[in-house]
Amino acid sequence: QTVVTQEPSLTVSPGGTVTLTCASSTGAVTSGYYPNWFQQKPGQAPRALIYSTSNKHSWTPARFSGSLLGGKAALTLSGVQPEDEAEYYCLLYYGGSVVFGGGTKLTVL
Amino acid sequence: QVQLQESGPGLVKPSQTLSLTCTVSGGSISSGGYYWSWIRQHPGKGLEWIGYIYYSGSTYYNPSLKSRVTISVDTSKNQFSLKLSSVTAADTAVYYCARAWLHPGLSLKFDYWGQGTLVTVSS
């Protein structure tokens, strides 16, 4: 069973920068895993932020960026805003099927 | 803009089959490259991919649910559906439908999601 691992929780100060990561139990994450990132706030459906590693949707704020970092997929928030407090999920592609990470609860404090 | 809306019973008895439909508006379910997905979220937990279907009927399922899941598509109604058999309390969750564009070797893009529907399994 493939497992995708994210940090359970992170805390960042308003205006700061934070990087969330997404690791695969199968080894290093490459662009071929097409990492996607989602934001979910309480009581809401997830909202897509990043696809295929680093591509933004038309609605994705500029302060969000995606990359590969040290064998993991990464989501960086620069100039964090209070409204960025949420749960963040990554998703990786495994040749047909996909697997979500367990999520990172980001606190802005 | 594409919109997705889940519908179906909010309460299902144990051992029965959970059935949900996702209606797509603002775009055609037959558009090439798009896979139509079901995802669920147990109360207070993370997201779990259930499976997806192409308009031609080609499907991919989560191996852990594959024996109980059927996803089908009705292009005439611009809808796709989920059936999950032999449900237990462990299948109580919010069920979401979503759209994904997949081009193997190039890209995977999840974009639009439905608002989700809570399904409770209880007698």
Side-chain angles (χ1 to χ4, degrees), chain A residues 8-100:
Chain A
S9 64
L10 291 170
T11 300
V12 61
S13 299
T17 297
V18 64
T19 297
L20 290 65
T21 67
C22 176
S24 173
S25 62
T26 60
V29 176
T30 65
S31 58
Y33 286 80
Y34 307 132
N36 279 239
W37 290 92
F38 306 89
Q39 177 192 64
Q40 187 180 34
K41 295 182 179 179
Q44 297 183 16
R47 180 176 75 137
L49 292 174
I50 300 288
Y51 66 95
S52 294
T53 304
S54 59
N55 296 279
K56 299 179 186 181
H57 293 276
S58 58
W59 54 80
T60 303
R63 60 184 180 274
F64 290 87
S65 63
S67 64
L68 296 175
L69 198 63
K72 300 178 184 180
L75 175 70
T76 299
L77 288 70
S78 304
V80 171
Q81 302 296 306
E83 62 264 29
D84 296 333
E85 182 161 295
E87 193 85 22
Y88 291 84
Y89 294 94
C90 68
L91 172 147
L92 299 179
Y93 175 75
Y94 292 90
S97 63
V98 299
V99 180
F100 282 96

Side-chain angles (χ1 to χ4, degrees), chain A residues 34 36 40 45 48 52 57 96 98, chain B residues 41 49 52 105-108 110:
Chain A
Y34 307 132
N36 279 239
Q40 187 180 34
S52 294
H57 293 276
V98 299
Chain B
Q41 186 169 34
W49 176 72
Y52 46 39
L106 186 63
S107 185
L108 169 66
F110 276 78

Side-chain angles (χ1 to χ4, degrees), chain B residues 44-63:
Chain B
K45 301 298 184 183
L47 300 171
E48 179 180 31
W49 176 72
I50 298 171
Y52 46 39
I53 188 166
Y54 196 58
Y55 77 92
S56 62
S58 174
T59 53
Y60 293 94
Y61 296 136
N62 184 327

Side-chain angles (χ1 to χ4, degrees), chain B residues 12-36:
Chain B
V12 180
K13 289 182 167 46
S15 80
Q16 293 190 342
T17 295
L18 178 160
S19 296
L20 295 174
T21 295
C22 183
T23 300
V24 180
S25 58
S28 172
I29 205 167
S30 300
S31 297
Y34 288 106
Y35 281 75
W36 303 93

